[in-house]
Amino acid sequence: MENRHLAQRIRAFRKLKGFTQQQLADESGISLAVLGAIERGNRRAEDQILNKIADVLGITLAELTQRDE
């Protein structure tokens, strides 16, 4: 999946659920710097990180990574 598209989806779901970047990073067990880089599309997120983010946001990995047609 393209980094920019995934970055936009993570950011959108994070805001929809009312999380700050810091809160999502803390709850996911990843650093704020890593989450920020992922949300900017500057870093590819490993599947393990994506699973943690999806869990905290209360969505499935499929929902997080799906492409809008």
Side-chain angles (χ1 to χ4, degrees), residues 13 15 42-43 52 55 67:
F13 275 114
K15 289 181 176 185
N42 294 335
R43 178 180 174 141
K52 289 179 181 180
D55 284 346
R67 292 291 284 176

Side-chain angles (χ1 to χ4, degrees), residues 3-4 6-8 10-11 21 30-46 49-50 53:
N3 285 351
R4 296 254 180 241
L6 181 58
Q8 291 171 350
I10 292 171
R11 186 179 312 111
Q21 275 190 340
I30 60 176
S31 74
L32 179 59
V34 168
L35 179 59
I38 292 169
E39 280 199 9
R40 288 188 303 277
N42 294 335
R43 178 180 174 141
R44 184 186 178 283
E46 300 162 3
I49 291 174
L50 291 177
I53 291 171

